[in-house]
Amino acid sequence: MLSRSIAAALFALTALSGCATNMMERPASAAQTEQRAPVTILVSIDGFREDYLRRGVTPNLAALANDGIEAAMRPSFPTKTFPNHWAIVTGDRPDRNGIVANNMEDAARPDEKFTMASDDPFWWNDVEPIWVTAEKAGVRTATMFWPGSNVPWGGNQDKEWPRAIHGGTRPQDWAQFNQQIGGTQRVNMVLDVLRRPADIRPRFVTLYFDTVDTAGHIKGPDAPETTRAISEVDAHIGALVAGLKAMGQPANLVILADHGMAARSTDRIIALDSIANPADYRVVESGPYASIAAVPGREKALEAALFKATPHMQCWRKSEIPARFHYGTHRRIPAYFCLGETGWEIQPTRPKGEVTGGNHGWDDRAPEMAALFIANGPAFAKRAKTPAGGFANVDVYPLLARLIGVTPRASDGDPAALSGLITR
Ligand code: AMP
Ligand code: ZN
Ligand code: ZN
């Protein structure tokens, strides 16, 4: 029995070495010798607060930061998922990019509401995302999830035949968002499109992870479950880097987050119905901020209630929101806007149960809302400094355009802000 297994092992060894010899003798295939052009990969780790990097559980991100660039990035206001993802790929802040919130209304569509599931181009057509600019310029793109990447941008939805969308441009490879598709599969899908022959291989790719945000919401930013989610996504980044290396694919990686996360609690709730008369208003969105519409004719009464001093909250007419928020001109922003102090939530009424976990949406300058930014790859100057006064996420758009080799639209993003990061 023993001698049989030794014989089998010897056979396997011989077969292996024979195989190795054959491979060495064979001329290298075109794929092996090809000098691959760098691909730009934009990775979003939703809700990855900048300081999560210092929990000691992110060896792969730390290595990329150490060999590249790392900084705290200022999100756009409001610090929500859809407005910020759209700001990063359009270079325009929410007030101008049209995605002013995760949930919206528009007087032009009185019977509809925008939710995170809305893919009617009507909601998205205000400004062109970078993958559309790239596709129009002949640069192939692929998205492994990104808010708005499933929308035929510039198209029109048929009102008579509501699922039909006419015209519009999408990334040549895109996927309908599905939370059930795990991180390993998302990374493998990115690696798979890069394994293609050069003529059908994308040169700009997005990749999106949601689990750090989900854990932060349910358990809070400081919970062990959130730290575990951070470490799991770090392992997926490690798999991405290893996969790229194995296929000899150079990549300029821009890894960032849409916003951070702050803890919330039962004793930091502001109940709107204890401040104003619910007969005077309608709440459009609530949480770290509340956007509010007045019942017609009840504006004066509502203003009197909202504008009297309330601890931990400030309210404005939309046209009077302080300029530093760059928010308040878009028609989709309701007439009144109240912002909670970081950690304080504004709810229509006092919740019955305990309030735990975390949230985001607060002041974009609050340290808790600061977002991850890492850049690594052949185009980047190792450990180059980002602007001392910080930079905004809209500044990433002109950087991406330069990496991809397309002309950016004039936008809220400052092309000079991150130009020092690029070596060539
Ligand atoms: P937020 O409510 O701002 O925390 O939004 C985060 C959530 O947005 C994630 O947990 C995802 O479930 C959801 N999400 C992210 N990307 C998409 C997408 N492309 N389409 C629909 N939902 C998405
Ligand atoms: Zn988010
Ligand atoms: Zn979130």
Side-chain angles (χ1 to χ4, degrees), residues 172-215:
Q172 286 190 62
D173 294 280
W174 62 277
Q176 191 68 27
F177 181 65
N178 184 346
Q179 219 166 6
Q180 298 302 310
I181 295 178
T184 301
Q185 196 178 343
R186 296 181 196 193
V187 168
N188 285 337
M189 283 166 146
V190 167
L191 294 173
D192 282 347
V193 291
L194 294 173
R195 259 183 215 107
R196 293 177 182 168
D199 58 336
I200 55 163
R201 189 187 303 150
R203 280 171 40 207
F204 174 67
V205 179
T206 72
L207 172 61
Y208 168 81
F209 298 102
D210 43 296
T211 48
V212 170
D213 179 73
T214 306

